[in-house]
Amino acid sequence: MSPCPGLAPHCVTIALTLDSKQVRVPPHDWRVLSGGQGPRLVAFHGAGASADSMAPLLEALAPRFSVFAPDLPGHNKTRLGAPNRSGLAAMAEDTARMVTETFGVPDVVVGHSAGGAVALQTDDIWPDAKRVLINPALTPFDGAAGWVFPRLARALGCAPFAASAFSQSFSKQSRIRSRLENTGSPVTDEALLRYGRLAANQDHIKG
């Protein structure tokens, strides 16, 4: 292990050894990371991210847990099979079905940001699973933004060139670093490259 670029010496990077594979469970073609041994733990990333965002955490947990993390529908390498399945409830239902069929019922569900909302939506499906939410996105935007932003997103989703325009706008490394640092999170060079690849992926942006 080596020090994280630009961060304090006690911060280390972890060599990633998780398996990555594609699985088909309708309505989507899924990409998942898995590895480790022990009680089953499934992790959901936030909106705009991917399972790779959770990989360092999963690597640290893999000696004690059997870990499993999907790219959520429309994100990264999970191909969206039905556009009308992008809402929170549908996404949670489809993801839970895929996890149960390919991994089994989890003992622990971890969710980051919007992935925390997905994790809570699976409460009726996996009632006995423990849940760990990391900075969960559980409340809507305040005021006018709560009305405008969802409608703007739907309109842009229907615009034929919107994904391309957003991808070109956000794929520059300096802009990605600035936006990530504005969240208060330290950004490693590895994370910067990962988000750069996501921002350049028009299918990911559209999803």
Side-chain angles (χ1 to χ4, degrees), residues 82-141:
N84 65 338
R85 303 296 292 175
S86 293
L88 178 59
M91 183 179 294
E93 180 182 335
D94 293 344
T95 304
R97 181 188 308 114
M98 182 277 296
V99 171
T100 301
E101 290 186 14
T102 60
F103 181 62
V105 175
D107 301 291
V108 182
V109 182
V110 177
H112 172 245
S113 190
V118 175
L120 287 181
Q121 283 284 320
T122 65
D123 189 56
D124 291 337
I125 303 171
W126 300 322
D128 296 327
K130 304 293 189 297
R131 282 166 177 77
V132 179
L133 308 183
I134 305 169
N135 193 26
L138 302 180
T139 58
F141 291 107

Side-chain angles (χ1 to χ4, degrees), residues 71-92:
D71 288 340
L72 291 175
H75 289 68
N76 196 27
K77 297 179 181 179
T78 290
R79 293 183 293 276
L80 191 65
N84 65 338
R85 303 296 292 175
S86 293
L88 178 59
M91 183 179 294

